[in-house]
Amino acid sequence: MPDNRRSQVITQGVQRTPNRAMLRAVGFGDSDFTKPIVGVANGFSTITPCNMGIDGLAKRAEAGVSQAGGMPQLFGTITISDGISMGTEGMKYSLVSREVIADSIETVCNGQSLDGVLAIGGCDKNMPGAMIAFARLNIPAIFVYGGTIKPGHHDGKDLTVVSAFEAVGEYSAGKIADETLLAVERNACPGAGSCGGMFTANTMSSAFEAMGMSLMYSSTMAAEDGEKADSAEKSATVLVEAIRQQILPSQILTRQAFENAISVIMAVGGSTNSVLHLLAIANAIGVPLTIDDFEVIRRRVPVLCDLKPSGRYVATDLHKAGGIPQVMKMLLVNGLLHGDALTITGQTIEEVLADIPAEPRSDQDVIRPFDKPMYGQGHLGILKGNLAEEGAVAKLTGIKNRRITGPARVFDSEEACLDAILANKIVAGDVVVVRYEGPKGGPGMREMLAPTSALIGAGLGDSVGLITDGRFSGGTYGMVVGHVAPEAAVGGTIGLVEEDDSITIDADANLLQLNIPAEELEQRRSAWAPRPPRYTRGILGKYAKLVSSSSQGAVTDMNLF
């Protein structure tokens, strides 16, 4: 038997009789007390389509644990639907939920002395929340993605939830009629699963596959397909063996694994949120990783996949074309992946990719050949300048105008910005500034999907810049820059911008600059005073008090003492 924590606790003699008595009530028999006890963290919820299919996966995982010789113990975790809360005050709870998920999994696993944990999640924060918990716990662990949604269809086009947000912008600009707007809304989300493009959920599931914390091919499976449930059960059997072999997150989540994840994210055109989440996970496991590392890797990794939001295809198309293993093999043979990194199966990355061809199939164009990429360099750039001394994150590919200098249009909330866009008060050449939406200032760092989609729908996506100390949805594209740090609430320069100031966004120079004399900037800084916090009680009040800068992953346990 392995050196199991809980199985030892409950077999240490007569003083543990009450523990055994309670476990008998939940299904333990005499022969079960020496088995590894495996937590199944179940993110099932009917709050969102992302998570509504997860309960069936949890049951298959329980069966897999039992068949492999372990004792499953099911418990629940929460979720917030980003897509439903988007554009509302409720969106402030989205990033906060990442910490709640991490805290809850850590609390149950340590409180019950579990030997290992399998977490199942669907919506965006389920993935990084679970992985942060895995890092803190450092017990054998595996992540099971709830699966991606299948695309909706209307008028011969594939739809995702972002299509609905963009349709609002088109409608406001007079480009589509009521009937078309309603048809898009009715058809965008046809069933269970997480948002279908290479948005945040699919980006993070792909990253975890690349890091070796999920099984190969599992990150792009459709939620409603039978192979997803089979993969959940297989994940459970792999985890029980990892418990026996004591394969720990600290052995898997190495610097090499983080570099592999970043490389894959660049290759598939993943979400800006991945920067925030990988920094947070690295902090939890104690791996040195900075925002600048993303820029270093971006410059050497091409974009290989033609995926939404700026491309043509969705995650199910990527799955049919060979999935993340195909992308990883292409990176590996071209020296852009660490093949000796360990996976939860006990094999190395190179070993699990051994049978994958070095080039993608010729009968598809979702994954491009390595020598004919979508773009020669990665898409997630780190911009710096006097507007972002700690850095900011931008998608640099798929934009027509890579440099814009224009007058600032300043808004202290997402709602005020969206109202101006829908009222046609933003024109080509403007640089929209949305501030006091950062980790502390929001609090919670809301995503600006509604404003950016409205700009796209109005035809301004290539001619208007938008910068914010908040975040962007993985479905966002265009000349937009998020995660601006330091944020306005702590005295960052973004809080000193005035209406009509000249701002430059330069994707090629990695520059985000406020074009005013240094002396004037310092005068404004000396006159600045912090605003009273928007929340002083409850979870948002606690979060605002504890949260770090977005350049550090917006974590809540960085400098507690």
Side-chain angles (χ1 to χ4, degrees), residues 162 166 197-199 268-270 303 305-313 374-375 379 395-399 456 474-478:
V162 176
E166 292 178 0
M198 192 47 69
F199 309 152
V268 300
V303 179
C305 299
D306 186 4
L307 296 168
K308 290 180 181 294
S310 60
R312 294 178 293 167
Y313 296 106
M374 290 287 296
Y375 305 99
H379 65 302
K395 283 186 178 178
L396 304 183
T397 54
I399 53 176
I456 296 289
T476 296
Y477 61 101

Side-chain angles (χ1 to χ4, degrees), residues 175-306:
K175 296 184 176 183
I176 59 174
D178 290 26
E179 311 84 71
T180 302
L181 177 64
L182 185 58
V184 171
E185 180 252 300
R186 284 174 171 168
N187 292 282
C189 299
S194 299
C195 300
M198 192 47 69
F199 309 152
T200 304
N202 285 326
T203 298
M204 296 312 299
S205 68
S206 299
F208 293 174
E209 187 172 320
M211 297 174 94
M213 292 297 293
S214 296
L215 297 188
M216 288 290 136
Y217 294 103
S218 65
S219 67
T220 51
M221 292 175 178
E224 297 178 318
D225 287 352
E227 64 176 346
K228 172 46 67 179
D230 294 340
S231 177
E233 186 169 324
K234 177 66 181 302
S235 297
T237 63
V238 167
L239 175 60
V240 173
E241 183 58 30
I243 293 172
R244 294 192 176 103
Q245 300 295 327
Q246 283 298 285
I247 301 173
L248 305 176
S250 58
Q251 298 169 277
I252 300 172
L253 296 175
T254 61
R255 169 73 187 205
Q256 289 72 28
F258 282 94
E259 291 186 359
N260 285 349
I262 296 169
S263 294
V264 167
I265 288 166
M266 295 296 176
V268 300
S271 167
T272 53
N273 281 313
S274 62
V275 178
L276 198 72
H277 297 326
L278 288 179
L279 288 171
I281 298 164
N283 171 71
I285 199 69
V287 168
L289 188 73
T290 71
I291 196 170
D292 296 320
D293 292 320
F294 289 82
E295 180 63 26
V296 171
I297 294 174
R298 180 191 76 81
R299 292 175 182 268
R300 67 184 186 229
V301 177
V303 179
L304 298 173
C305 299
D306 186 4

Side-chain angles (χ1 to χ4, degrees), residues 38-384:
V38 182
V40 178
N42 182 5
F44 167 69
S45 170
T46 58
I47 290 283
T48 171
C50 308
N51 290 48
M52 71 182 191
I54 285 176
D55 207 34
L57 302 184
K59 288 179 170 59
R60 286 291 296 273
E62 284 185 292
V65 170
S66 297
Q67 291 166 11
M71 283 300 292
Q73 298 282 273
L74 183 70
F75 64 94
T77 67
I78 68 155
T79 198
I80 295 293
S81 173
D82 289 12
I84 296 172
S85 64
M86 197 75 69
T88 74
E89 193 77 357
M91 186 63 191
K92 293 181 178 181
Y93 290 84
S94 171
L95 187 59
V96 176
S97 75
R98 184 189 73 181
E99 309 307 299
V100 177
I101 293 164
D103 291 350
S104 67
I105 295 174
E106 177 193 0
T107 299
V108 173
C109 290
N110 274 341
Q112 300 301 121
S113 303
L114 300 182
D115 298 309
V117 58
L118 178 151
I120 312 175
C123 202
D124 292 9
K125 306 312 171 297
N126 295 173
M127 274 74 78
M131 200 62 60
I132 290 169
F134 292 174
R136 294 176 186 170
L137 291 162
N138 201 32
I139 59 175
I142 194 167
F143 186 81
V144 174
Y145 182 38
T148 185
I149 197 171
K150 293 181 179 180
H153 303 284
H154 174 67
D155 197 23
K157 297 178 181 178
D158 284 349
L159 301 178
T160 69
V161 66
V162 176
S163 305
F165 284 92
E166 292 178 0
V168 171
E170 292 178 294
Y171 178 79
S172 298
K175 296 184 176 183
I176 59 174
D178 290 26
E179 311 84 71
T180 302
L181 177 64
L182 185 58
V184 171
E185 180 252 300
R186 284 174 171 168
N187 292 282
C189 299
S194 299
C195 300
M198 192 47 69
F199 309 152
T200 304
N202 285 326
T203 298
M204 296 312 299
S205 68
S206 299
F208 293 174
E209 187 172 320
M211 297 174 94
M213 292 297 293
S214 296
L215 297 188
M216 288 290 136
Y217 294 103
S218 65
S219 67
T220 51
M221 292 175 178
E224 297 178 318
D225 287 352
E227 64 176 346
K228 172 46 67 179
D230 294 340
S231 177
E233 186 169 324
K234 177 66 181 302
S235 297
T237 63
V238 167
L239 175 60
V240 173
E241 183 58 30
I243 293 172
R244 294 192 176 103
Q245 300 295 327
Q246 283 298 285
I247 301 173
L248 305 176
S250 58
Q251 298 169 277
I252 300 172
L253 296 175
T254 61
R255 169 73 187 205
Q256 289 72 28
F258 282 94
E259 291 186 359
N260 285 349
I262 296 169
S263 294
V264 167
I265 288 166
M266 295 296 176
V268 300
S271 167
T272 53
N273 281 313
S274 62
V275 178
L276 198 72
H277 297 326
L278 288 179
L279 288 171
I281 298 164
N283 171 71
I285 199 69
V287 168
L289 188 73
T290 71
I291 196 170
D292 296 320
D293 292 320
F294 289 82
E295 180 63 26
V296 171
I297 294 174
R298 180 191 76 81
R299 292 175 182 268
R300 67 184 186 229
V301 177
V303 179
L304 298 173
C305 299
D306 186 4
L307 296 168
K308 290 180 181 294
S310 60
R312 294 178 293 167
Y313 296 106
V314 295
T316 51
D317 297 316
L318 174 60
H319 189 64
K320 294 172 187 174
I324 296 302
Q326 180 62 79
V327 176
M328 291 175 68
K329 185 59 174 279
M330 295 166 66
L331 295 175
L332 179 67
V333 298
N334 285 281
L336 297 173
L337 215 64
H338 298 285
D340 58 347
L342 184 67
T343 75
I344 189 63
T345 66
Q347 299 171 289
T348 65
I349 290 291
E350 186 170 14
E351 288 170 340
V352 297
L353 296 176
D355 296 330
I356 307 297
E359 287 295 324
R361 300 194 318 268
S362 60
D363 64 347
Q364 58 79 45
D365 59 354
V366 183
I367 307 172
R368 299 288 189 90
F370 191 85
D371 60 353
K372 296 179 181 178
M374 290 287 296
Y375 305 99
Q377 291 184 323
H379 65 302
L380 296 182
I382 305 303
L383 275 57
K384 290 191 173 182

